[in-house]
Amino acid sequence: MSTTVRCLSDGQYNLAEGIIRDEQTGFLWWTNIHAKELWRLKPGTGAHKRWSLPQRLGCFALTQHQDILLLALETGLVLFNHARDEYTRLVSVETSLPKTRTNDGRCDRAGNFIFGTMHEGSPDAVASFYRFDTRGVLTRLDLPNIAISNSICFRPDGKIMYWCDSLQHKIMQSDYDSASGAVSNHRVFVDLGDTIIEPDGSTVDAEGCLWNAQWAGQRVVRYRPDGSVDRIIDMPVAQPTCVTFGGAALETLYVTSARNGLSDEALAQQPLAGAVFEITFDDVRGLPENRWLGPV
């Protein structure tokens, strides 16, 4: 079992997040939120590409068309044809709440896009979780209001949704019906206790284990389906932000990180803060990223 953490892209991104891999093209995609940037990398080649966006990008999803992504910009969802640099506006999000923006998101196993918002600069729980279904209809999920949405991912059979309010230091799980979007039976999956560590982005592997990037924890943790710790991967940066699987056999975990909010002293101690990392395993396999299956 290898736990060697390698730097894949030392871009010193201020807030790299939302990393996903397109198994059809092999491209890795992530957002550099505060810089209003979308990034793409082909592992093994070093070939990067950057797009400047009209707003900050919280999260996004692959679609059925390789040239089109579903973007959750800070005030709404758009289709983005990155080959043509063209945007198609779909729906607004929380325009009545000027201090919220989109944050974390992933598609469920049936191709619906599930995402959440966050309340910037405040611990007040006024943000929400949403479902943008395959018909293009936006509905609010019946989940508690939160301050910072994160950790959205799904068990391999799609019947359990994981989610969190990062400021509560707990990852939650709920029964989930992908056909209707119904969520119920909310309960604690992982409790980080009285700590500064915040659960950030998550993904689920082929064995149903959840991998969580832990902000201020300098680590990525793999949790078994019962919530117990399977392994801890120490990172060279304090603020890992999100995880996804890739590689030819889905054996490689990719991890984004952030420099945002770190002091000059902290940055001097962790020169790779803001980089994108890769970790290859002998005994773990991921799952392909789900696509939004709505019309493009």
Side-chain angles (χ1 to χ4, degrees):
M1 180 179 65
S2 171
T3 55
T4 301
V5 179
R6 297 177 298 274
C7 178
L8 182 66
S9 176
D10 186 13
Q12 297 191 340
Y13 308 104
N14 178 261
L15 183 54
E17 266 281 12
I19 189 165
I20 57 177
R21 177 185 180 265
D22 186 340
E23 81 282 359
Q24 295 181 5
T25 63
F27 285 125
L28 279 175
W29 297 87
W30 66 90
T31 171
N32 188 16
I33 294 179
H34 293 319
K36 302 179 183 178
E37 294 174 340
L38 173 69
W39 283 85
R40 187 182 74 185
L41 168 66
K42 189 68 170 286
T45 70
H48 288 69
K49 187 168 183 178
R50 178 184 65 87
W51 287 264
S52 294
L53 304 174
Q55 292 183 349
R56 290 175 296 172
L57 173 62
C59 57
F60 56 99
L62 305 170
T63 72
Q64 300 177 82
H65 194 299
Q66 289 184 3
D67 290 342
I68 299 176
L69 298 173
L70 175 62
L71 305 185
L73 297 176
E74 55 189 282
T75 62
L77 303 184
V78 303
L79 291 176
F80 177 51
N81 187 317
H82 51 83
R84 299 179 178 179
D85 206 23
E86 293 178 351
Y87 299 87
T88 302
R89 185 82 176 185
L90 297 176
V91 63
S92 297
V93 177
E94 292 186 351
T95 53
S96 63
L97 297 173
K99 293 185 178 180
T100 65
R101 65 163 174 84
T102 59
N103 197 48
D104 189 55
R106 260 194 165 89
C107 288
D108 66 20
R109 304 298 176 197
N112 305 291
F113 184 49
I114 311 301
F115 70 97
T117 57
M118 67 172 287
H119 193 191
E120 290 196 285
S122 171
D124 294 340
V126 301
S128 296
F129 293 93
Y130 295 91
R131 178 177 185 258
F132 190 61
D133 68 22
T134 57
R135 301 168 298 157
V137 176
L138 181 70
T139 54
R140 184 187 179 280
L141 290 180
D142 188 18
L143 291 170
N145 286 106
I146 36 79
I148 303 176
S149 65
N150 261 314
S151 202
I152 298 171
C153 56
F154 298 86
R155 201 170 70 178
D157 65 6
K159 295 181 180 180
I160 297 293
M161 174 181 169
Y162 298 99
W163 56 277
C164 80
D165 181 344
S166 290
L167 297 189
Q168 299 302 313
H169 308 280
K170 297 171 184 167
I171 301 174
M172 306 295 292
Q173 60 181 333
S174 299
D175 297 341
Y176 177 73
D177 181 359
S178 61
S180 66
V183 284
S184 59
N185 191 23
H186 315 318
R187 66 265 191 204
V188 175
F189 176 64
V190 169
D191 189 343
L192 296 176
D194 186 12
T195 175
I196 64 169
I197 299 173
E198 298 179 7
D200 209 320
S202 293
T203 194
V204 172
D205 65 26
E207 296 180 59
C209 295
L210 182 145
W211 294 77
N212 179 241
Q214 299 196 338
W215 181 279
Q218 199 162 332
R219 66 188 192 182
V220 172
V221 182
R222 186 194 198 213
Y223 295 100
R224 300 182 186 95
D226 63 3
S228 61
V229 173
D230 174 76
R231 69 187 73 179
I232 296 174
I233 309 298
D234 294 322
M235 299 294 296
V237 294
Q239 296 176 166
T241 58
C242 196
V243 288
T244 195
F245 276 97
L250 293 168
E251 79 286 5
T252 300
L253 186 74
Y254 297 102
V255 186
T256 47
S257 68
R259 300 168 62 84
N260 188 52
L262 294 176
S263 66
D264 291 342
E265 180 181 3
L267 290 172
Q269 294 172 351
Q270 44 184 303
L272 289 176
V276 179
F277 301 93
E278 62 178 353
I279 310 159
T280 300
F281 298 98
D282 299 323
D283 62 335
V284 173
R285 296 294 180 265
L287 293 169
E289 194 70 35
N290 298 308
R291 296 173 181 271
W292 183 63
L293 298 182
V296 295

